[in-house]
Structure formats: C-alpha cells, structure tokens
Amino acid sequence: MKKKSVVLLALLLLSLVASSHTLGDVAEKYLTETDDLTDWSKVASRSPTLTLKTSGTSSGTSSGAASGAASADPTRAYGSGKSGEYLVYKAKGYLRSFSVEAYSSASAEGSKSPQPTPLLSISADGKTYRAVTPDIHASGDGSGRMLYESREFPSGIKYLKIVYPSGNGGAVFSIGRVVLNGDGDGGTGASANASKPSGPVLYGSMIRLTAASGQMIYYTTDGSDPRSSSTRQRYGSPIAIVGETVLKTTAEGAAATGTTATGTTTTATSQASSASPTASSGKTAGDVSTYTFTPYPQAPPASGIADPLDDFALTALRSNLYLAKDTPSYFGNDSSRAVRATTAPGMLIYVSAEDIESFAVLSFYFSGLAFEKLKFYVSSDGTEYNEVAAESYPSGDPVSNWQPQAYENMSLPAGTRYLKIELTGTAKSWTPQVSEVLINRNTASAALTTAKSDSGMLATLSSATKGARLYYRLNDSADFVPYVSPLKLTGYNSLEAYAVKEGLLPSPIRSYSVNASKDVQVDRFGQMETAKFAAKVTEESQLAADAAADETYYASLKEPTDRDRYGGLSGSASTYGLKATGFFDVQNLTGSGRPVLTTPSGNLFFSLGVNGVTAQETYTLIKGREAKFEYVPPYAGEYKPAYTSTDGFSFFVANKYKKTGVFPTEHDIYVEAIERLKKWGFNGIGAFSTEKYGEEGMFPYVRMLPLEGMSWAKIDGLSLFDIYAPGAEEKLDQSFAQNVAPYKDDPMLIGTFIGNEYDFHKFLTEVPKLKASKAAMKGALVDMLQKKYGTIGAFNTAWKMNYKSFADLREAELVLKASPAWRDMEAFLADYLDRFFGTVSRLYRKYDPNHLLLGDRWITTTFHNETVRRMLSEYEGKYVDVISINYYTYSLEPELLKEVYEKSGGKPILMSEFGYGTSEQGLEPLMKNSAINQFQRGMRYRNYVEGVASLPYVVGANVFNYVDQAGLGRYWQGIWGEHYNSGLVNVADRPYKDYIAAAKATNDDIYKIMLGKRAKFYYDFSKK
C-alpha cells in the first residue's frame, strides 16, 4: 500500500473514532475558549516575528477593503511574510473543533491576487502534528474576511497549530479571532453548512447542506463561483462523494432561525458571530463556503454502463424518444433526460459485452397525472425479450410536482446481454422521463425489514449487493451514520437509508416510516391490529394468492335464472297484468292490488340494491395520527393512486393493487362489483354509489337530488333543507334543469331520492331556537305566529313567554313550554312539509316525468317519533311515489310500517338502508350485539329481507354497503368517522362468504317469498 493511502486510512479511522465522543470520552471536557488576540496571553507559543496591531491598517496594506476590515476587528495578529510563522493553541481540555477568523486584502471580492491560505494542523502531544483540511467560508461583504473551520477530531487532541502563508501573501494576512470548541461545534460560519467537515470521507458519503429559513442553497463541484456560475445547481438532495470533490456553496434569501432543505429546524447563529459586526446578523448572498472531500478507499469503477443520457451515444437502439433539457432544477439538476415524442411507447435498448447482472434506472414522473411504471425486458440474443420485474420506489422529494422514482433489479437471468426500457403513459408524452441508466454499476438500495419486540421494533437494513456499506438517518437527524446492527426503535420514526460499495455508485436514498409506537391500531393492510380472525392477511403474498382464489370462487357462483335484464321476475308482466312503461314504475298486482315496483319491461321488481358501491368509505385520515398506523406508503410514490388527497389513504385500494398488480379506478371497482352482485343475487346499485357510471346501462341504479350541495339552504347544526330561503324555487329549478333533466330517458334509472336522513325528529324543538338572521325558516315561523296571534301579548300568554315584540322573537331561542306552542309547531311542520315536498316534486316532474321520486330516506329515529312519523306519512305521501326509510332494527315492526303505508295514501315503502355487522374484525358492528360472527350476520339479513318482502306494501330492501368502512373512520369525518363492519367484502377485498351465502339464499328466492310461494325464513336468535 502506498504511503499516502496509509495516511489517508489512518485519518479516516481517526475521524470515525471522533464521531463517537460520548462513547469513549465521557470524561473529556470540551471547554469553549475564545482568543480575540488583544494580547498573547491565550497563545501557547508563537513565532516572535508576529505582531499585534490595533490600527486600521497594517504594513503593506492600505486598501479600502482592508481598512474596513480592520475597523470591524481592530486588534489582530499580523505576519511578516517570513516562512514558517505560526501560532499554537493548547486547549484546556480536549479539542474537538476550531474556527480561525482571518483577513487578507487579497481575498476581497474582485481581487486578482492569489488567495493566501494558512496551514492548519492538530496534535495530541504538541510534537507530532497532522494537517487538517478546513472548511473555508469567504465573506461576501468585501472585507476580505475568511473563516477556517474544522471539527470532529479524534480522541485526545489538544493542540491547534496555525502556520501563516509566506511571502507577499503572508504580509497581508492577519488573524482576528480564534475559537476552540465553539458552541456550534464548527460548521456554523457558513451561509450553507455541510453535514461533514472537509477532509477524508468514506467513499459514497452523502453531504447534506443546510441554510437559514427561506434561503435557497446553490453549489458547484467544478471550482466555479456558486454565486454566478452557469454550472451552479440548486441544492435539493444530498451530494454523493465518489471522487475528489471541491464543493463550493452559497445561500440566497432572508436569514433567520433556519430550516434544512428537508424541514429540520436549525440555528443560523455563527460561533464567531461576535467576532465582528458583519457576522452578527446572519450571512448574505455573497458568502461562499468551500468544502473539500477526499473519498476513501478508492477503487476503480466497476465494468458496466453508467449512462447520464446527455446524449444517446451509449444506447444501441431507441424509438420515439428525444432528450429534454428544460428546467433541470425540477429534475435533480439533470439537464438532459430521455422523453417520449408522442404518447405511444418509447424504448431504449442497451447491449453489454458481458452478462448484465443488475440495473438501476432513475426517472421522474409528473405527480399530477396517473403514475405508470416503466417496463423492463431482457434478452440474451436481442431477438426474444422477456419482461422482468423491477423494484420501484420514490427516490427523493418532488419539485414542482416532478417526483423522482428509482427502479432496480439485482438478479437478472444468466446470459442477459440486452436490456430494453419501455416508457409508457397515455396522459401526456412528457411523463415519465428517464434521467440515468446504470448497468452493473449500481449498489442495491437499502431494504428495510422490521420485527416487533417487547419494547418496540427492531429495524434491520440490508442490501442485495454483497459487501455494501449501509448508512441511515433517523428522524431528520443532522447526518447519515453507518449502520452496524438492527436499530431498536420506539415511537413513530422516519428513516432514510442508502447503500454503497467501492467502485459502484451509491444507491438512491430510500425513505421509510417505522411505527414502533404502542399506539398502533391499524396494520399495514388496514386491518385492526389487535383483532384476530381466520381470514386476516399477514403477508403480501397472501393477497397475490387471492387473485386465483377469487377466480375459482366467483366462477362457482351462478346468477339466478328467473331474472330479466333489469333483475325483475321474467314473464311476470303477463302473469300479473302489469304493463311495460319503458321505465321503472309503481303498479298494482291484479287480484291482490298489492303495490309493486315494475321494470321497464313491466316485470315484477323487488329492489335488492347495495348501497355504497364505491371505495369512498374506505379512505381514512392519516395526517396527524400517523402513529396509529403500522405503515402507510408515502404519498409521493407508487401508492399515490391509493390516496384521495395528501392526507387521506385507502388500504382497500392499496390491497387491490397488491392483489392484482393494477390500481383499480373508480370505474373498475364499480364494474367489478356489478358482476359480483349479480352472482350474489342482488339486482341494483343503491344510494351513495358512483352515479356517473349508472347510465352505462349495466345495472339498475338510483340517484340523489343535488340538495345537499346547496349551501344557501343549509342550517348550521340541523339537517333540514330551508325551503323558505329567498329564491329557493328559482334556484331549485335551475339546478334540476342541469342535474335531473339529463337522466330523464335512462331506462336503467329506478328513481331519485330527495335527500338522506333529515332531522325531522328535531324539527318541533330545534327550529324555534334558530336565528332568523341565519335561517329563513325561523323568520317564516315568526311571521306565522304574528299572523295567528296579532299581538305579542296574545303570543306570550299562549306560549308562556315574556317578549316585548315579535321582532324580538326572530333571534330568540324559543322553548316549547305550553300545549299551544306544541300545536303551533306542528302546524308549522305541516306547512314546511307541504311546501318542501310539494316544491321538490313539482320541479322534479317538470324535468323528469319518467322516473320515480323515492322519498327522503327517513332515519330510524324519525320513524320512531309518532307525531313526526304520521305527519311525514301524510304530507310526503301526497307527492312521492315511494316512501323510503333507512330502517335499522333488531326486529321488524309491521304495525308501524303499515301505519306509514296507510297514512301516506297507499304509497309503497322501500327499506332504503339497513344492515348488520360484527366486531370480530375490530370494527363497530352497525347494530351492537346483533351478531357474533358472519354466519349470524347472514341470518340477520335473511330474517330482515324475507320479513319485509312478505309485507304487502314493501317493494325493496337495500343493504349497507359494499365494502367495510375504514378501521379508523371514513376520511371526511376525520377522527370521529364511522368505522363499521358493514360490507360484503372487507378491506383486503375478501368476501364474507358465510354472510354472502345466506344473503344469496334469500336473494335467489326473493320473488317466491314475495309472492307467497315459499315460506319466509326465520332464524330464532333467542334460542342458543
């Protein structure tokens, strides 16, 4: 080994030892010592030719810049220019860092003189010194001020030696201040601080740069000035040191309490901030810092291909590609990337003279569009290609929506000589873009595996590249540190890691979150952490295996054979005297007079719809409660399609991707659900599903009037539509013209709901408490009362109140204390219901005379309120075709349902929402204690549906819903969101087969049950 290499290795080992002061040197003291050089009292030894001067000028210097510098620091130690002049400092304890503040007119901006530079060295015994390569910070204020710093010295260092430059340079060189063991531990004299001090570093080390808040960091590595060079780059990610590197940096923008480029708070205070007034208020855009790094050990580059795609010289073949050179700052400062010319696939082919064992491809995609992966193919002869998988992961933070994405494969088939890279994407031709291709030159990335321990989590890092060194950065710490053994983690952690091997290029930095908190409630598949059940997914491979299992399961199911294309009973129109109207309708059976729904063909139809045929209820809020989830993939990356926003994630969508390799679109989920529902015996799509696909003619569906989105008619804290709002009828007319009329000719549309679960049961007591300034409804009530009573006195007597005028009532919270008050509110409710349903019905039929008006989906609480139930039945029944009730119950109440039917004037009833669940998977059970397992859940379904189908005035039962709700609540309701076991399938897209088998047994026989051709099923839950 060469002598120079031995020295470098020794320095390297010393620097490694120095990085662990607290382990080996607990007893050592690092005392901050400052020498302003007003005298020689703090200098251990010096050359006698050095002089202290306090004047504004020095021998041989009279420039304005030097004079200004002198006034900033009037007392300094000057050299004479003789060779070997020096200062030696001995630390009182041990030395871990230093900063030397110096001045030279030759260093002033615009000076053409060579930069006079001191030689700096450290020693343990004051006899044997080793040179230190300092960080150099040049002030941009024209003062000629330089700051030389270094830190992280080996154990036992006590001495610092400063050797002045000789010759003319030495004559203009002076030292104004020396600080040993400054509070900032070095590195704080820069406008852009580096995470490692200059000097030898391990090959592949990553240098992080930080600056004050709001400042942008620019750098060069070619020796040019980062303030003005055409080659300067904006810092966005750590800089890998794989060769001798001179890194020059500057920062631009306001200086203050700072944050790093990745958001970590830091301090902009310089350890030499009191050295001169120019240093006390932060750094300016003119400051330049120079860091010099020598990687060790050096190794010749591995054979292979490293193509930066500055041109296509290294490619054997390409098609539909050109080189984009615009906005390099969006692409990690890469000024040349391969991009498609059209939306047709683009292709790059590489040929190697030796076997291709591995590759890595760095790319970017525009995160505002759908993410489509690159595809890779290999061949041994260039004729027959086979697709190979590549691990894909985000490799940095996005800039202006351009997300860096890395791909790698470390185990290609033996004999591979050709690599084909295919770029696809139907949205835009300019995304994705390929930035760099490495063949046999890449280090495999740092892979993470975790294992739970009693105290938290063991996090293990590894690389598929044998002999690779691993580095990690935990929870936004200042720097990457070597990985030695599994990390014992507690709490919620962010982890960045990379791998490198000499001769190869470092892997991209991968980001992980490791939740070692005891607060974890949801596992990485979206299942409740503590729940234990037979079908729980524990490995990703189980989801992949589900694809084949599903194919077998669904193939074994048969659709009912007695249905027409709408799900009605085939041939029943002629049997029961029903007419084809071209749309779903309400007719009466010949003989019994029973009201029934009919299909457009006139056949008998009992609505067995499923609510919520969508993934919307599976999205959950992540932001602010990350510690409750075992793992959530990052937003910027492969799993972005599983996000509804940056903070709302669907484990169901993510699991579908793991299962099939393709992210399902909203349309995919809808279409797949229809095929499943048909086989399970259902015949329609219920409310809160994706309406926009209903008109495709695949399956009967329902719609909802757009009342919910009309903010002008909303009342804070009370779910009622304010039909008294000014211009209500005109606004409804305009909305219906846009939202109702386009669907009037669709035969697959069963009908339209008015709304969902209005607070009619609160009307009598809560409406009087409203303020007329916020709810027109309250003003209408006061107007009615004034018209009835005439005088405020008469009103006060009846209501047992004491108000001075009717005007006072408009903002007052009225309370019902007397019988007349209750009677008045019932009269106002009657007026409201007649006005609301009458107006909505008239306008609906104006724009859609063909379809049914299906009511407003009463909440069960409203149904059980006797007064409101009877009034709703009477007034709503005048205007709608069907009364709809979201009827959750342990047992049916036929007498109450019959009352609704009779008081509504014989309007049939649709159970627009019902359901049961269990707690076995850790979710809420919809109705507590209704079922202990999925079998019992199925029995509840059979009892309910067959029970209502046997009632001569019920026309359907729509179950809630298709997919279980998210384990920690559906997204839009935040931390208090519903989280019910309500679905036919769970978060892993695994069907509840026991539950569904029972539902299918009922669904397949629904018309036999409805027509009394089979006795209704009943499971007695009272018997054990």
Side-chain angles (χ1 to χ4, degrees):
M1 184 179 288
K2 294 182 179 179
K3 182 177 181 181
K4 181 178 180 181
S5 298
V6 173
V7 172
L8 283 173
L9 179 59
L11 296 180
L12 178 64
L13 293 174
L14 286 173
S15 66
L16 289 176
V17 172
S19 67
S20 57
H21 291 301
T22 57
L23 295 178
D25 302 315
V26 176
E28 290 186 353
K29 295 181 179 180
Y30 299 99
L31 304 176
T32 300
E33 302 174 59
T34 301
D35 185 4
D36 290 324
L37 284 165
T38 55
D39 55 38
W40 299 115
S41 62
K42 297 182 180 179
V43 176
S45 63
R46 62 180 174 86
S47 297
T49 52
L50 298 178
T51 57
L52 290 175
K53 295 186 179 182
T54 57
S55 62
T57 61
S58 62
S59 177
T61 59
S62 58
S63 69
S67 177
S71 62
D73 186 1
T75 304
R76 299 182 311 205
Y78 288 86
S80 66
K82 293 182 179 180
S83 178
E85 292 179 308
Y86 67 90
L87 286 173
V88 172
Y89 287 88
K90 181 181 179 182
K92 292 180 180 178
Y94 291 97
L95 184 65
R96 68 176 177 185
S97 69
F98 68 75
S99 66
V100 176
E101 190 173 79
Y103 295 85
S104 170
S105 60
S107 64
E109 281 190 272
S111 173
K112 296 182 180 180
S113 303
Q115 173 66 52
T117 303
L119 298 178
L120 302 165
S121 56
I122 55 177
S123 173
D125 58 8
K127 298 177 182 179
T128 303
Y129 285 86
R130 71 169 178 89
V132 173
T133 302
D135 304 336
I136 304 174
H137 312 300
S139 173
D141 61 3
S143 66
R145 177 179 175 270
M146 306 288 288
L147 194 65
Y148 301 89
E149 295 184 322
S150 191
R151 63 189 190 276
E152 298 180 9
F153 302 145
S155 173
I157 297 298
K158 295 181 67 71
Y159 294 87
L160 166 66
K161 186 175 184 179
I162 308 167
V163 178
Y164 279 61
S166 59
N168 292 334
V172 297
F173 184 89
S174 60
I175 296 176
R177 170 177 289 227
V178 176
V179 179
L180 309 183
N181 298 325
D183 292 339
D185 198 19
T188 56
S191 59
N193 294 309
S195 57
K196 296 183 185 300
S198 296
V201 295
L202 281 168
Y203 176 89
S205 292
M206 296 285 183
I207 305 301
R208 298 182 63 254
L209 300 177
T210 56
S213 177
Q215 289 188 319
M216 294 180 291
I217 301 172
Y218 293 91
Y219 70 94
T220 62
T221 56
D222 60 4
S224 59
D225 191 329
R227 296 169 297 185
S228 57
S229 174
S230 61
T231 62
R232 77 173 187 164
Q233 301 181 28
R234 182 174 173 179
Y235 175 78
S237 58
I239 302 160
I241 305 301
V242 293
E244 187 82 28
T245 303
V246 177
L247 177 64
K248 292 195 172 186
T249 70
T250 191
E252 298 179 0
T257 298
T259 59
T260 68
T262 56
T264 306
T265 302
T266 176
T267 304
T269 306
S270 167
Q271 65 168 281
S273 61
S274 61
S276 68
T278 61
S280 63
S281 58
K283 304 296 177 283
T284 70
D287 295 356
V288 174
S289 296
T290 302
Y291 304 94
T292 304
F293 301 105
T294 301
Y296 190 85
Q298 295 280 9
S303 59
I305 298 172
D307 188 359
L309 285 168
D310 294 336
D311 52 38
F312 289 115
L314 297 178
T315 59
L317 187 67
R318 73 179 191 277
S319 67
N320 194 32
L321 294 176
Y322 70 96
L323 293 176
K325 299 180 179 293
D326 58 312
T327 54
S329 61
Y330 293 175
F331 305 95
N333 298 309
D334 188 345
S335 59
S336 181
R337 294 94 48 201
V339 188
R340 290 176 299 153
T342 70
T343 53
M347 178 187 66
L348 285 169
I349 292 182
Y350 291 87
V351 181
S352 174
E354 58 186 12
D355 281 3
I356 301 177
E357 298 176 350
S358 67
F359 68 77
V361 175
L362 307 183
S363 71
F364 293 85
Y365 74 90
F366 190 74
S367 60
L369 299 172
F371 172 50
E372 296 191 40
K373 285 185 176 182
L374 301 179
K375 296 182 178 180
F376 302 92
Y377 304 85
V378 296
S379 174
S380 60
D381 56 10
T383 302
E384 182 178 348
Y385 282 87
N386 295 306
E387 187 171 3
V388 293
E391 188 172 8
S392 172
Y393 53 89
S395 55
D397 296 324
V399 176
S400 295
N401 286 324
W402 282 100
Q403 172 61 47
Q405 189 79 7
Y407 301 81
E408 66 178 63
N409 185 311
M410 302 303 297
S411 56
L412 293 176
T416 296
R417 294 297 179 96
Y418 294 80
L419 172 65
K420 178 165 67 174
I421 305 169
E422 185 178 76
L423 290 74
T424 62
T426 57
K428 297 292 182 181
S429 61
W430 38 261
T431 181
Q433 301 190 12
V434 175
S435 173
E436 185 175 8
V437 177
L438 304 176
I439 295 175
N440 293 346
R441 291 288 308 277
N442 55 298
T443 309
S445 62
L448 172 70
T449 57
T450 59
K452 294 180 181 177
S453 65
D454 293 338
S455 59
M457 191 85 72
L458 282 179
T460 302
L461 294 173
S462 63
S463 171
T465 300
K466 293 182 179 179
R469 288 179 278 104
L470 291 144
Y471 294 86
Y472 71 95
R473 178 171 171 253
L474 189 62
N475 298 326
D476 296 325
S477 57
D479 199 7
F480 288 90
V481 296
Y483 172 79
V484 178
S485 60
L487 309 176
K488 297 179 180 180
L489 302 178
T490 58
Y492 186 83
N493 302 272
S494 60
L495 178 67
E496 295 176 283
Y498 73 96
V500 63
K501 183 177 181 179
E502 286 71 37
L504 300 176
L505 293 173
S507 74
I509 297 170
R510 295 188 69 165
S511 298
Y512 297 98
S513 61
V514 181
N515 193 353
S517 169
K518 295 181 179 179
D519 297 330
V520 174
Q521 296 182 30
V522 175
D523 70 14
R524 67 184 187 275
F525 301 106
Q527 304 162 129
M528 301 310 291
E529 176 78 4
T530 58
K532 300 185 186 303
F533 51 94
K536 190 170 188 178
V537 176
T538 57
E539 299 292 339
E540 280 74 2
S541 59
Q542 295 170 349
L543 288 172
D546 277 357
D550 279 359
E551 186 175 352
T552 301
Y553 166 67
Y554 290 111
S556 71
L557 303 175
K558 304 299 180 185
E559 296 180 28
T561 58
D562 60 350
R563 308 285 172 89
D564 68 8
R565 68 183 295 255
Y566 302 101
L569 179 61
S570 296
S572 57
S574 58
T575 303
Y576 296 100
L578 304 172
K579 297 180 180 180
T581 63
F583 300 96
F584 283 89
D585 201 359
V586 174
Q587 299 186 51
N588 296 94
L589 292 181
T590 301
S592 68
R594 172 177 178 165
V596 294
L597 292 178
T598 56
T599 69
S601 302
N603 287 320
L604 179 63
F605 181 81
F606 190 86
S607 176
L608 293 171
V610 176
N611 288 297
V613 180
T614 173
Q616 287 304 311
E617 307 234 344
T618 69
Y619 288 90
T620 194
L621 178 67
I622 302 298
K623 187 176 181 180
R625 51 180 186 167
E626 290 86 353
K628 295 183 182 296
F629 300 90
E630 177 190 12
Y631 175 72
V632 181
Y635 173 78
E638 184 175 3
Y639 281 85
K640 184 183 175 185
Y643 280 85
T644 187
S645 66
T646 57
D647 55 3
F649 183 77
S650 169
F651 287 97
F652 172 74
V653 173
N655 288 336
K656 291 284 287 183
Y657 173 67
K658 294 174 183 177
K659 180 176 178 178
T660 65
V662 178
F663 278 106
T665 64
E666 185 180 59
H667 185 263
D668 293 336
I669 292 170
Y670 186 88
V671 171
E672 180 182 63
I674 288 174
E675 296 307 309
R676 293 176 174 183
L677 296 181
K678 286 180 179 179
K679 292 190 173 187
W680 293 334
F682 294 99
N683 61 8
I685 301 293
F688 302 112
S689 301
T690 314
E691 293 180 4
K692 62 184 177 182
Y693 304 125
E695 68 271 20
E696 294 184 0
M698 294 179 290
F699 214 41
Y701 72 108
V702 295
R703 299 189 72 246
M704 187 83 71
L705 287 179
L707 306 188
E708 177 64 26
M710 298 179 179
S711 58
W712 53 268
K714 286 188 174 182
I715 300 173
D716 289 344
L718 194 63
S719 178
L720 290 171
F721 186 91
D722 197 344
I723 193 65
Y724 299 97
E729 182 162 349
E730 292 79 7
K731 292 174 183 177
L732 285 171
D733 188 286
Q734 182 180 11
S735 176
F736 286 11
Q738 297 174 349
N739 296 285
V740 173
Y743 299 89
K744 68 183 181 63
D745 296 321
D746 184 1
M748 278 291 177
L749 177 60
I750 299 171
T752 304
F753 292 111
I754 295 172
N756 184 66
E757 297 185 345
Y758 287 121
D759 287 338
F760 291 127
H761 57 286
K762 297 180 180 179
F763 190 98
L764 299 178
T765 58
E766 298 305 311
V767 169
K769 298 177 183 178
L770 299 174
K771 297 181 182 297
S773 59
K774 296 183 178 180
M777 183 184 297
K778 175 64 178 295
L781 170 62
V782 175
D783 290 343
M784 185 198 78
L785 294 173
Q786 185 172 10
K787 183 177 180 180
K788 176 179 179 178
Y789 289 103
T791 67
I792 192 66
F795 165 80
N796 285 335
T797 299
W799 279 58
K800 299 188 183 304
M801 299 287 181
N802 187 28
Y803 287 95
K804 294 182 179 180
S805 68
F806 283 106
D808 292 344
L809 304 184
R810 302 181 74 83
E811 300 298 298
E813 291 191 9
L814 304 179
V815 180
L816 308 187
K817 300 178 179 179
S819 296
W822 285 97
R823 290 194 295 270
D824 287 342
M825 284 309 303
E826 289 174 11
F828 186 62
L829 174 59
D831 181 79
Y832 170 83
L833 294 175
D834 195 68
R835 183 186 299 259
F836 174 57
F837 289 111
T839 303
V840 169
S841 173
R842 182 173 64 257
L843 294 176
Y844 175 75
R845 299 186 197 286
K846 172 182 176 180
Y847 291 104
D848 187 351
N850 301 321
H851 292 110
L852 302 172
L853 193 58
L854 298 175
D856 64 295
R857 301 168 59 86
W858 302 358
I859 193 171
T860 308
T861 310
T862 292
F863 173 70
H864 284 143
N865 184 306
E866 181 179 0
T867 299
V868 176
R869 179 180 67 249
R870 292 175 175 177
M871 293 183 70
L872 261 178
S873 300
E874 177 183 353
Y875 287 96
E876 183 176 351
K878 292 165 56 178
Y879 300 107
V880 301
D881 300 297
V882 175
I883 299 288
S884 56
I885 307 175
N886 292 353
Y887 186 38
Y888 288 88
T889 185
Y890 292 97
S891 58
L892 300 177
E893 301 160 293
E895 68 284 356
L896 299 185
L897 293 170
K898 184 178 181 181
E899 178 189 82
V900 171
Y901 170 66
E902 291 176 344
K903 288 191 173 295
S904 67
K907 294 299 171 68
I909 299 171
L910 170 66
M911 304 309 175
S912 44
E913 185 175 310
F914 79 97
Y916 302 94
T918 77
S919 59
E920 61 184 349
Q921 296 199 6
L923 303 175
E924 290 295 311
L926 270 174
M927 298 191 70
K928 293 184 182 300
N929 303 317
S930 61
I932 61 173
N933 53 37
Q934 295 300 320
F935 169 79
Q936 285 197 357
R937 191 178 174 211
M939 296 303 100
R940 287 286 186 187
Y941 179 95
R942 297 200 68 181
N943 284 358
Y944 186 104
V945 175
E946 297 197 21
V948 297
S950 301
L951 298 176
Y953 39 79
V954 175
V955 294
N958 292 180
V959 71
F960 185 83
N961 62 338
Y962 179 59
V963 191
D964 280 342
Q965 294 175 326
L968 288 188
R970 49 191 184 180
Y971 171 72
W972 65 89
Q973 293 177 315
I975 62 174
W976 307 112
E978 289 183 6
H979 49 285
Y980 291 121
N981 166 222
S982 53
L984 299 169
V985 299
N986 71 3
V987 68
D989 194 40
R990 289 183 162 180
Y992 291 112
K993 293 181 181 179
D994 288 346
Y995 169 44
I996 291 169
K1000 180 172 172 58
T1002 291
N1003 294 348
D1004 287 358
D1005 277 359
I1006 193 64
Y1007 294 112
K1008 294 178 182 178
I1009 300 161
M1010 182 180 181
L1011 296 169
K1013 295 182 178 181
R1014 170 168 81 68
K1016 68 178 180 181
F1017 173 89
Y1018 183 74
Y1019 181 87
D1020 190 349
F1021 279 86
S1022 67
K1023 296 181 178 179
K1024 299 296 183 180

